[in-house]
Amino acid sequence: MLRKLKYIVPLALVFAISSCSKSSFDINVDPNNPANLPAKNLLPGIEKTLGDASASIGGISETLEVYMHRITCREAPNAYGVTGNSGFVDNVWIPYLSSGITNANIIIANAVPVNNFQYAGIAKLLKAFMFSQLVDIFGDIPFTEEGKLTEQILNPKFDDDATIYPALITMINDGIADLNNPAVNVLKPGSDDLIYGGQVPKWIKMANTLKLKLYVQQWKVKDVKADVMALLAKPETLISQTSENFQLPYSVDNKNPGYADYSAAQRTKDISPWFYEIMKGYNQNIFTDITDPRIPYYWFNQLTPDQVATNDGFKTEYRDGPFVSIYFGSNGPNSGFAQQNTQTVAGIYPVGGKYDDKSGSGNATANKLTATSATGAAPYRFITYADRLYLEAEMINVGQIPGDARAKTLAAIKESFNQVDAVVSLTGAAGVPKIVGVGNSPDSAYYAKVMTQYDNASTTKQLEIIMTQKWISSFGSAIDAYTDYRRTGFPVLFNPNATGVAQPPIDGDPTLPSQPSVKVSANRDFPLSLPWPSAELNSNSNAPAQKQPSTYKVFWQP
């Protein structure tokens, strides 16, 4: 059934995208033949697919945000419960393979013969990025035979993941060559390129930064020093400022999918207490006693500190003043109770939600959250300038390249803060204060405290600081965080089986004398890769048997 969808999904998605964009179908185009659709119609559909399939609701980050302990829920991702049958892995597998990559192949095949090299180059870069993400999530995937519908390959073989990365580097280089081709392009991308608006120099920077990311992710299993140094020798060819971030913009009319919880009949995505406590400075392992100024940008508290945190008489499981949530792997009596109008929700930075001005909106107030409470216009971030700086800091820290790891780490943290202001600006939200200031502003004080901990740490602990800051920065975009954890072992994640009990702040709920401890557990081990979709395995005669996610490693894992 999944392979049959390949003939249906690409065209359906193309129609969905083009119908809400400014461009329209040429009247001479056969609407029943996607191979005849012009690149200007296919490109925005591919880019939209890329963002939606990655998103924190409806995309693969819906699972990975939970696995990376920034979001908690009571659905299949809880306690590492996603299986090949659950449908959550379909959220990225089907859109990437059945739409994004298939339509990229169509652009490439049709663009080169008529000198539309810029379209071909962009399509190759998008295709390489999608394949790289699938490798990082699943390991072995269909690659050499994937998306070749015109050749009637309906059961593509699964390629060894270690062989795919080198092919992706070649694909990226080919894309760069197309973008630099001196031939006169018959057509050039413009507003149909949702990501960079047809700006070729930015696509080339994205391409080189993607290569840097792929090289860094392999350093434990392959000597990549020369490749990394060659890229860093020309920093101007890499993403070098916030405005060059590789990200998909969303808008008021086309909201970030992660914003869907604001209008949901029952909100199901809570902020992880583990994530909350690290940013509040409660964690005794890292950033102890350091409150992160990004908190009001990261989530919105529906309650004020003194409000009763109930919904139809139900009790909360975790509360700390205005913050209300549930634990990962909870077996507590209050974990399943609805907290529609009291739970803390994702804020302006990850999904374009509300900035937390401490006014609250739920329970006894009339201003409850709805689809129009905020803009939902936060971009989905694929690769950012901050990411690039964290990659460099990591490589210096582990001795792969020379440099000043401290300076690079501080630069990465500062850019993470700049990124918050940039996202807020893109959302169009009014009245939100900037987080980056001068002198004794909250961000400067935060930098100083974090770097004091860095200066007093061992080399390994410094790597933990680097990777934990990168984890904080990427909230809302979870694929690389999942990859980074499996590569480096950082950040340290919540382990419900360590003690079997979690303790909310004793005095966190003003309506109770004390909050009781909560029993927590996970029946499955942390997945070293995600299971392949069962529908793919059942329909593809060349597919392997289902893996054991807790033991199946992606090739770059030591």
Side-chain angles (χ1 to χ4, degrees):
M1 178 62 182
L2 186 58
R3 287 294 150 189
K4 292 180 181 178
L5 284 173
K6 285 202 164 192
Y7 291 97
I8 302 171
V9 175
L11 184 58
L13 285 176
V14 166
F15 275 121
I17 297 303
S18 59
S19 66
C20 60
S21 66
K22 293 182 179 179
S23 59
S24 59
F25 286 110
D26 190 299
I27 60 172
N28 295 317
V29 172
D30 179 1
N32 296 313
N33 186 358
N36 288 332
L37 288 172
K40 68 177 182 178
N41 296 106
L42 291 172
L43 180 58
I46 297 170
E47 294 177 339
K48 182 72 160 51
T49 293
L50 188 62
D52 291 357
S54 304
S56 57
I57 293 181
I60 196 61
S61 288
E62 186 165 3
T63 292
L64 298 182
E65 283 290 352
V66 178
Y67 284 12
M68 290 312 298
H69 296 272
R70 298 186 298 207
I71 293 291
T72 53
C73 69
R74 285 293 159 263
E75 299 158 287
N78 181 47
Y80 308 126
V82 168
T83 68
N85 292 316
S86 66
F88 282 85
V89 290
D90 295 338
N91 287 346
V92 70
W93 187 275
I94 293 175
Y96 270 21
L97 294 178
S98 298
S99 176
I101 289 168
T102 298
N103 286 341
N105 285 338
I106 293 171
I107 288 180
I108 295 164
N110 292 343
V112 173
V114 294
N115 283 10
N116 287 342
F117 290 106
Q118 290 183 11
Y119 276 104
I122 292 171
K124 288 176 183 178
L125 297 182
L126 291 170
K127 180 180 173 182
F129 182 76
M130 283 184 277
F131 270 128
S132 73
Q133 297 287 81
L134 289 173
V135 169
D136 293 343
I137 295 166
F138 295 102
D140 293 354
I141 58 168
F143 177 68
T144 55
E145 296 182 348
E146 179 57 40
K148 296 187 176 180
L149 299 181
T150 57
E151 299 173 35
Q152 295 299 304
I153 298 178
L154 303 182
N155 298 293
K157 68 177 181 178
F158 279 53
D159 293 274
D160 181 347
D161 56 354
T163 68
I164 298 174
Y165 260 40
L168 295 181
I169 296 296
T170 299
M171 190 182 298
I172 295 167
N173 288 334
D174 288 346
I176 294 173
D178 283 341
L179 291 170
N180 284 325
N181 194 307
V184 177
N185 283 260
V186 175
L187 292 174
K188 295 182 179 181
S191 61
D192 54 318
D193 173 13
L194 306 177
I195 294 176
Y196 285 133
Q199 298 180 71
V200 168
K202 288 186 177 181
W203 276 110
I204 292 175
K205 290 188 174 190
M206 170 271 181
N208 286 318
T209 310
L210 175 57
K211 285 199 293 184
L212 176 66
K213 184 172 90 76
L214 297 184
Y215 286 135
V216 171
Q217 289 177 181
Q218 300 177 76
W219 73 261
K220 284 195 172 184
V221 296
K222 181 181 179 180
D223 185 356
V224 296
K225 298 183 189 70
D227 295 311
V228 170
M229 289 298 294
L231 287 168
L232 295 180
K234 299 179 179 179
E236 71 280 0
T237 66
L238 300 167
I239 294 174
S240 302
Q241 55 186 330
T242 317
S243 62
E244 296 169 350
N245 285 351
F246 176 43
Q247 60 190 24
L248 180 71
Y250 285 97
S251 67
V252 175
D253 296 324
N254 178 30
K255 301 180 190 299
N256 185 309
Y259 183 76
D261 232 20
Y262 275 66
S263 58
Q266 176 57 56
R267 298 187 178 97
T268 60
K269 304 297 181 289
D270 293 80
I271 305 299
S272 166
W274 184 257
F275 189 41
Y276 169 79
E277 292 190 354
I278 286 178
M279 292 191 71
K280 284 288 288 186
Y282 294 169
N283 190 283
Q284 295 303 301
N285 171 64
I286 194 164
F287 308 142
T288 308
D289 297 328
I290 302 176
T291 302
D292 198 314
R294 290 170 286 189
I295 285 175
Y297 302 84
Y298 272 45
W299 53 75
F300 176 76
N301 295 308
Q302 294 194 74
L303 295 180
T304 56
D306 57 344
Q307 282 183 310
V308 177
T310 58
N311 181 22
D312 297 331
F314 297 144
K315 296 181 179 179
T316 60
E317 175 167 279
Y318 183 103
R319 183 169 184 183
D320 186 35
F323 183 86
V324 176
S325 188
I326 54 176
Y327 279 111
F328 176 92
S330 172
N331 298 307
N334 299 322
S335 64
F337 288 151
Q339 290 292 342
Q340 174 77 1
N341 296 319
T342 60
Q343 71 192 81
T344 296
V345 298
I348 191 169
Y349 176 69
V351 302
K354 292 193 70 172
Y355 169 77
D356 189 15
D357 60 2
K358 301 183 181 180
S359 63
S361 68
N363 197 19
T365 68
N367 187 27
K368 298 184 187 301
L369 295 184
T370 68
T372 59
S373 293
T375 68
Y380 185 89
R381 293 161 276 113
F382 303 113
I383 306 175
T384 67
Y385 178 36
D387 294 335
R388 172 207 152 177
L389 295 172
Y390 284 118
L391 290 170
E392 293 183 55
E394 175 190 345
M395 290 296 279
I396 299 170
N397 170 273
V398 298
Q400 291 286 305
I401 61 174
D404 186 339
R406 186 190 193 281
K408 197 65 68 173
T409 300
L410 179 57
I413 297 172
K414 288 184 175 181
E415 175 55 25
S416 295
F417 276 67
N418 289 332
Q419 193 167 280
V420 172
D421 280 342
V423 167
V424 171
S425 177
L426 289 172
T427 67
V432 179
K434 288 192 173 184
I435 194 171
V436 175
V438 294
N440 294 321
S441 62
D443 62 304
S444 295
Y446 180 79
Y447 307 150
K449 291 177 181 178
V450 170
M451 297 316 295
T452 295
Q453 287 196 2
Y454 181 95
D455 292 338
N456 293 322
S458 66
T459 302
T460 300
K461 190 68 176 182
Q462 288 173 345
L463 179 60
E464 181 183 355
I465 290 171
I466 293 168
M467 302 312 297
T468 304
Q469 282 291 332
K470 188 180 181 185
W471 171 73
I472 293 172
S473 176
S474 67
F475 183 37
S477 175
I479 298 175
D480 285 354
Y482 179 55
T483 294
D484 289 341
Y485 174 73
R486 291 172 294 154
R487 291 190 306 107
T488 69
F490 297 123
V492 174
L493 298 179
F494 178 62
N495 180 3
N497 294 333
T499 62
V501 176
Q503 178 60 58
I506 295 293
D507 58 354
D509 190 334
T511 68
L512 298 175
S514 64
Q515 290 193 105
S517 60
V518 179
K519 292 182 178 180
V520 292
S521 65
N523 294 328
R524 294 181 175 89
D525 293 330
F526 186 90
L528 301 180
S529 62
L530 294 191
W532 294 300
S534 297
E536 174 73 28
L537 304 187
N538 294 335
S539 65
N540 183 350
S541 59
N542 288 322
Q546 184 61 275
K547 67 177 75 167
Q548 174 54 256
S550 62
T551 58
Y552 181 103
K553 292 183 177 182
V554 178
F555 80 96
W556 37 248
Q557 292 177 259

